[in-house]
Amino acid sequence: MIKQILGNLSSKGKGVLILSIIFFVLYALTGTAMMLLVINMIEKITSGQQVILSHYWLGLIALVVFKAACNVTADMAKHFAGFDVEQNIRRSILKRLKGFSLGFYSKERIGEISTIIQKDVSTMEAVVAHMWSRMSSDFIVAIILGAGLFLVDWRMGLAMISLLPVAVLILVSGIKGGQKVQEESQDNLADMVSLFVEYVKGIPLLKAFNESKDFQEKLQVSTKSFGESSKKVSRRVAGYLGRYSFFVELCFAVLATLGAWFVFRESLSVFNYLIFVIISREFYKPFVEMETHWTNYIKVTDSYKRIMTIFDAPVVESPVISKNPDGFDIEYDHVGFSYEEGEFEMKDANFRLAEGSLTALVGPSGSGKTTITNLLLRFWEPQRGAIRIGGVDIRDINYDDLLANISIVMQNVILFADTIEGNIKIGNQNATRDDVIEAAKKAMIHDFIMSLPMGYDTPVGENGVGLSGGQKQRISIARAFLKDSPIVLLDEITSNVDPVNEAKIQRAISNLARNRTVLVIAHHLRTIRTADNILVFNEGVLVEEGWHDMLAEAEGLYRKLWSAQEDARQWLLAQGENSCQEMP
Ligand SMILES: Nc1ncnc2c1ncn2[C@@H]1O[C@H](COP(=O)(O)OP(=O)(O)O)[C@@H](O)[C@H]1O
Ligand SMILES: [Mg+2]
């Protein structure tokens, strides 16, 4: 894993990382050299030899300067390496994001990707910069000092490491055993966070229904169980960490005591004894810090795994040699598809939309209507069969060209923080103001736009003026006019709009439909009575096909849906009349 992460460093970044490790090693060794110098000075003074103090001072000053220089260099180099990794990962993510099918970008995904780009990538920086250089240099220093100390006196060397295996064993088994509790605590945290998010999102509703008490209790329970589990984790960690550092310290105590005994028996010089007591602290350093390094390791591998989910997702592949469709009829040839195995399945969809015709897709909610459009846009790929435009398999058409040929108007229109003109121009960036006005007129939204104080320059979207669902939809129809593509998909656009808007939208759509191949997904069957062809779906299966009069007569699903809607309409009309009569 670490190797993969470091694989994201450029060759310059790698060089700099190695440089920083070398300078950290030099930094630590200089510190040791200073101590040796001091010990040597003390030994000379205490044994009555002649000492030229100024030489020692000069030596010490030189070492201090060198040490500081090493520190600065290493620090700068490690940050450079960290930024290098961060930048490279961000760059590859961006490249990858461009290639995904739009189907990849579900709402949860977008949230997840933002977290990855913000948080996980920064973790990479932190770890490569701070953990990796420090950890490697600590261990290199330990090896050098350990070897040196063994050369000074092998008996003391053995004492110095005598209890380390026990300590490391305690740490490893503690970490392993603690993993389950840790995971439990992480799960509790995730539960609590999603409850909070749900709560914040639902506050207006909860207030309206006076239900916030129940929810608050739920939140309290969740907060408490997270608190309990994190306490459990802390207790556990404190337990094994305590035992671990006890053994590391005990090891030092063994060294100090044994050394004193050797000195007493005159088999070890005081000078060498001091060297061991003082320098061994440097040797123990990576062991003392091992737990921090381990936590960092877990953190970085977690982050890296999340980053990899972006790289593991499949991208839309454009053909090597792309073909141009001959005309714009659309054919679904025995298409089979499911989002996930064992769940909803589109079974053997087999039908044709004639060029320039208007086809309506109807059926209960969840019957697979939107899925049909998703497949045409290659938001997902069918597992069986093929979809052809003008006789060419859509997989053989360059993906950008395919998208350029299709306009989509959907129920939820997204407006960007821009002017109205800017938002319409998404359909065609090269359009002039006149083009935009013409499109808006055709989309029946021009008059409304002119009624705004700033007209086409009115800011909308985030922090801009609020528009109704119907107005947004007409803006998105204007986008489609401007894009002027031969194929148009309309997905349930009149489901949630008021009658005035609906009439306008209907007229706009009839304008748009002229001379194009149009697929309309409609909830209100009244709106598609004049369609050239109607496809009725139920649970992923095309169950009926024909035109309105024919289907309304036949004994099928369409007739049931139609009569249900007509009955509801009659009832509503009757209610309206009754209430009118009651009015004075
Ligand atoms: N991204 C998705 N992942 C998994 N299942 C999905 C996804 N989108 C839709 N579905 C499921 O596919 C089925 C058909 O959905 P859809 O085509 O949107 O129906 P309709 O538009 O007719 O209401 C539903 O059961 C829905 O839950
Ligand atoms: Mg739908």
Side-chain angles (χ1 to χ4, degrees):
M1 185 71 81
I2 290 285
K3 216 171 142 191
Q4 278 175 329
I5 296 173
L6 292 177
N8 285 294
L9 277 163
S10 67
S11 48
K12 196 170 165 199
K14 272 182 203 142
V16 174
L17 183 64
I18 293 172
L19 194 79
S20 91
I21 294 173
I22 292 175
F23 275 94
F24 272 127
V25 171
L26 287 177
Y27 168 79
L29 290 182
T30 316
T32 312
M34 283 167 66
M35 284 185 251
L36 286 177
L37 200 66
V38 173
I39 297 170
N40 180 273
M41 183 173 67
I42 295 169
E43 200 212 3
K44 284 211 171 132
I45 293 170
T46 48
S47 62
Q49 292 178 39
Q50 212 187 8
V51 186
I52 307 170
L53 276 180
S54 60
H55 285 182
Y56 279 98
W57 286 338
L58 280 178
L60 273 176
I61 287 168
L63 284 175
V64 167
V65 171
F66 184 66
K67 195 177 167 198
C70 286
N71 195 14
V72 172
T73 315
D75 220 339
M76 267 178 355
K78 81 175 182 188
H79 279 117
F80 187 94
F83 290 135
D84 188 74
V85 149
E86 192 177 346
Q87 206 174 35
N88 286 333
I89 293 181
R90 285 224 167 96
R91 217 176 270 157
S92 346
I93 288 180
L94 273 186
K95 223 158 98 195
R96 193 80 189 169
L97 289 181
K98 266 200 221 158
F100 286 131
S101 139
L102 294 188
F104 176 80
Y105 294 101
S106 62
K107 258 199 192 130
E108 306 87 67
R109 270 281 171 58
I110 291 174
E112 213 178 286
I113 293 171
S114 326
T115 320
I116 289 176
I117 292 178
Q118 287 168 19
K119 210 176 121 235
D120 292 326
V121 177
S122 306
T123 311
M124 290 295 122
E125 191 268 333
V127 162
V128 169
H130 303 276
M131 163 189 143
W132 193 249
S133 53
R134 266 303 160 120
M135 193 173 81
S136 328
S137 59
D138 277 359
F139 275 100
I140 293 173
V141 169
I143 290 169
I144 295 176
L145 294 183
L149 288 172
F150 259 91
L151 285 180
V152 171
D153 191 314
W154 63 269
R155 300 166 306 170
M156 288 291 282
L158 279 182
M160 183 174 72
I161 59 166
S162 59
L163 290 175
L164 279 189
V166 183
V168 172
L169 215 68
I170 287 172
L171 184 68
V172 172
S173 68
I175 287 168
K176 279 211 174 130
Q179 247 156 12
K180 218 174 135 191
V181 200
Q182 191 97 34
E183 274 162 25
E184 192 186 300
S185 166
Q186 288 293 329
D187 287 347
N188 283 341
L189 174 66
D191 286 350
M192 186 183 74
V193 170
S194 61
L195 260 183
F196 262 103
V197 171
E198 217 177 300
Y199 179 69
V200 174
K201 271 197 211 150
I203 277 180
L205 197 76
L206 290 169
K207 271 190 191 291
F209 288 97
N210 222 346
E211 288 221 359
S212 44
K213 269 234 170 75
D214 273 4
F215 212 109
Q216 272 169 2
E217 263 165 36
K218 247 205 246 173
L219 267 176
Q220 255 156 18
V221 171
S222 170
T223 313
K224 203 169 157 199
S225 55
F226 170 63
E228 292 296 329
S229 59
S230 35
K231 267 188 241 159
K232 211 158 125 192
V233 171
S234 311
R235 272 200 300 272
R236 248 200 129 95
V237 172
Y240 69 73
L241 270 193
R243 267 171 290 152
Y244 171 71
S245 25
F246 171 74
F247 274 96
V248 174
E249 289 299 328
L250 193 64
C251 198
F252 176 74
V254 167
L255 173 80
T257 323
L258 197 72
W261 189 61
F262 285 152
V263 172
F264 183 69
R265 293 194 33 203
E266 295 188 353
S267 69
L268 181 73
S269 70
V270 174
F271 178 59
N272 284 352
Y273 178 63
L274 281 178
I275 285 179
F276 264 97
V277 171
I278 293 169
I279 309 294
S280 66
R281 301 309 292 187
E282 279 296 310
F283 169 80
Y284 286 129
K285 207 166 139 199
F287 296 96
V288 175
E289 305 259 313
M290 211 139 141
E291 148 76 14
T292 323
H293 292 323
W294 179 256
T295 327
N296 281 333
Y297 176 78
I298 297 289
K299 222 160 98 187
V300 76
T301 47
D302 266 4
S303 287
Y304 196 64
K305 273 185 210 148
R306 271 194 298 271
I307 292 175
M308 283 331 270
T309 57
I310 293 185
F311 291 92
D312 289 341
V315 292
V316 182
E317 304 209 1
S318 267
V320 183
I321 304 163
S322 66
K323 295 183 189 159
N324 286 325
D326 182 15
F328 292 101
D329 63 310
I330 302 170
E331 184 191 357
Y332 283 70
D333 181 6
H334 298 282
V335 172
F337 168 76
S338 48
Y339 291 98
E340 263 159 71
E341 244 185 77
E343 292 191 8
F344 168 85
E345 192 187 354
M346 175 72 57
K347 292 186 202 87
D348 198 43
N350 197 42
F351 54 86
R352 203 175 152 264
L353 318 183
E355 179 164 3
S357 73
L358 188 147
T359 304
L361 274 185
V362 303
S365 159
S367 57
K369 304 179 297 291
T370 301
T371 306
I372 289 287
T373 64
N374 284 340
L375 294 175
L376 183 64
L377 293 158
R378 293 189 71 191
F379 289 0
W380 274 273
E381 307 279 352
Q383 281 104 15
R384 284 172 300 283
I387 302 172
R388 295 188 195 93
I389 296 179
V392 178
D393 192 320
I394 54 173
R395 284 168 289 204
D396 291 333
I397 303 172
N398 177 290
Y399 192 45
D400 289 338
D401 293 347
L402 175 75
L403 293 180
N405 279 322
I406 306 173
S407 298
I408 330 163
V409 182
M410 283 190 282
Q411 198 173 8
N412 296 320
V413 178
I414 294 172
L415 293 183
F416 295 94
D418 197 347
T419 60
I420 290 198
E421 180 177 9
N423 265 288
I424 295 178
K425 268 169 89 168
I426 286 173
N428 176 6
Q429 294 297 345
N430 300 322
T432 62
R433 167 64 70 100
D434 286 342
D435 297 336
V436 171
I437 292 176
E438 200 193 319
K441 278 185 179 158
K442 287 185 190 157
M444 313 288 298
I445 186 76
H446 174 72
D447 292 341
F448 166 74
I449 296 174
M450 292 315 286
S451 76
L452 297 169
M454 290 167 77
Y456 280 84
D457 297 319
T458 309
V460 289
E462 261 178 86
N463 306 324
V465 296
L467 300 180
S468 78
Q471 287 156 351
K472 282 192 202 166
Q473 233 136 37
R474 279 181 282 149
I475 288 190
S476 114
I477 293 173
R479 277 179 191 162
F481 270 114
L482 212 54
K483 185 167 176 185
D484 198 23
S485 63
I487 298 170
V488 175
L489 305 179
L490 304 157
D491 193 349
E492 302 223 11
I493 63 174
T494 53
S495 298
N496 288 325
V497 294
D498 55 277
V500 178
N501 260 307
E502 181 168 346
K504 282 190 178 152
I505 291 173
Q506 280 302 335
R507 249 191 298 158
I509 292 175
S510 335
N511 288 344
L512 183 65
R514 227 166 276 147
N515 300 325
R516 296 176 214 267
T517 310
V518 182
L519 187 67
V520 188
I521 295 175
H523 181 64
H524 299 308
L525 300 185
R526 284 205 142 251
T527 59
I528 49 104
R529 274 175 308 168
T530 55
D532 299 309
N533 198 18
I534 299 172
L535 303 170
V536 188
F537 275 84
N538 193 22
E539 294 179 358
V541 181
L542 174 59
V543 287
E544 281 178 289
E545 178 171 0
W547 56 93
H548 174 77
D549 293 341
M550 172 186 144
L551 294 172
E553 290 294 311
E555 283 294 326
L557 179 60
Y558 187 85
R559 187 190 162 113
K560 271 190 212 148
L561 294 170
W562 173 255
S563 359
Q565 285 189 3
E566 281 304 292
D567 288 350
R569 212 171 84 91
Q570 296 301 338
W571 185 81
L572 276 175
L573 285 177
Q575 292 295 309
E577 274 165 25
N578 287 343
S579 57
C580 282
Q581 277 162 9
E582 278 162 26
M583 298 263 228

